[in-house]
Amino acid sequence: DAGVIQSPRHEVTEMGQEVTLRCKPISGHDYLFWYRQTMMRGLELLIYFNNNVPIDDSGMPEDRFSAKMPNASFSTLKIQPSEPRDSAVYFCASSFHGGESYEQYFGPGTRLTVT
Amino acid sequence: GDSVTQMEGPVTLSEEAFLTINCTYTATGYPSLFWYVQYPGEGLQLLLKATKADDKGSNKGFEATYRKETTSFHLEKGSVQVSDSAVYFCALSARGYQKVTFGTGTKLQVIP
């Protein structure tokens, strides 16, 4: 299996621009998570989906952030307009509802820099 | 709510030294417990897990035992290598829930 795939790996944009991050989960996994990692705040859960339906978006920082999952193999996280404080590494992770535990499998992350 | 507390880093050790990273948790019921590792520039990878009390998870020479009486899941390795330098995250998931609660991470640096 190719694992969780994220694109782009690096994104540099100017303040005010729209940014779209992409994620392809592991085939057969029915949960998808978006996280943000910064030095100051550590690893934060932004939103997660089950069978393409958003379950909990309480971690989304504000209305500038939105996430979609149009099908089982694709999800996007959009920031519009972007601000310098959005600079972080964004991770996508997926998991399968089965077995004893629900370990998550992480993608390599997208490093976002907003200038 | 559920929480995970792990020791502050960074931890600096010489190669072949013994490693312990402490982790304690608060959760209702019997959660599953995990250690994840993050190498520089990469995402988190599952290192080991344990799903019930007294289980021992192990992988790549690392071990951790699920201790319900002390609500702990300390990570140990008998002889660390430079390649073990990374950030280690303790985590839990409550039974029946997909969300994983992560600790703040402990950075390990191993020097030759």
Side-chain angles (χ1 to χ4, degrees):
Chain A
D1 199 319
V4 176
I5 299 172
Q6 291 187 248
S7 64
R9 292 295 309 275
H10 302 273
E11 177 79 41
V12 180
T13 190
E14 292 183 347
M15 182 174 62
Q17 296 298 306
E18 177 181 298
V19 175
T20 299
L21 312 181
R22 297 172 176 80
C23 174
K24 177 179 169 56
I26 293 173
S27 177
H29 282 191
D30 52 353
Y31 280 81
L32 183 139
F33 304 80
W34 282 101
Y35 291 89
R36 178 171 68 177
Q37 186 178 41
T38 61
M39 289 292 292
M40 290 295 293
R41 301 174 70 93
L43 193 65
E44 303 173 275
L45 175 64
L46 301 178
I47 185 172
Y48 74 96
F49 296 82
N50 174 220
N51 291 324
N52 316 334
V53 176
I55 301 301
D56 184 351
D57 65 355
S58 60
M60 296 286 262
E62 47 198 276
D63 292 345
R64 297 184 296 106
F65 286 69
S66 62
K68 294 182 180 180
M69 191 165 186
N71 56 62
S73 59
F74 184 66
S75 177
T76 60
L77 178 68
K78 184 179 294 186
I79 308 172
Q80 188 199 10
S82 58
E83 297 182 3
R85 60 193 167 121
D86 302 330
S87 297
V89 181
Y90 291 81
F91 289 103
C92 175
S94 68
S95 68
F96 171 67
H97 182 97
E100 295 180 293
S101 61
Y102 305 118
E103 59 263 36
Q104 296 180 9
Y105 295 82
F106 281 73
T110 295
R111 181 173 294 277
L112 173 65
T113 303
V114 184
T115 60
Chain B
D2 297 343
S3 67
V4 175
T5 302
Q6 58 183 109
M7 60 190 289
E8 294 272 339
V11 174
T12 301
L13 295 173
S14 296
E15 205 164 22
E16 299 183 1
F18 185 87
L19 168 71
T20 300
I21 300 178
N22 291 335
C23 171
T24 57
Y25 68 90
T26 301
T28 54
Y30 297 87
S32 294
L33 302 175
F34 310 96
W35 277 101
Y36 282 81
V37 58
Q38 184 179 28
Y39 299 103
E42 299 184 11
L44 280 71
Q45 305 173 25
L46 180 67
L47 179 59
L48 54 84
K49 67 179 182 182
T51 57
K52 57 184 183 293
D54 300 324
D55 265 3
K56 177 184 282 187
S58 62
N59 186 25
K60 299 181 181 179
F62 291 89
E63 294 182 340
T65 301
Y66 190 142
R67 300 288 189 199
K68 178 116 180 98
E69 63 276 12
T70 55
T71 61
S72 64
F73 193 55
H74 305 321
L75 182 68
E76 297 181 336
K77 187 176 185 183
S79 176
V80 294
Q81 305 300 312
V82 172
S83 57
D84 294 327
S85 298
V87 180
Y88 292 81
F89 292 87
C90 186
L92 69 84
S93 70
R95 191 72 58 185
Y97 288 91
Q98 284 287 342
K99 284 178 69 172
V100 174
T101 300
F102 288 90
T104 54
T106 301
K107 184 175 183 178
L108 170 66
Q109 182 178 15
V110 181
I111 53 178

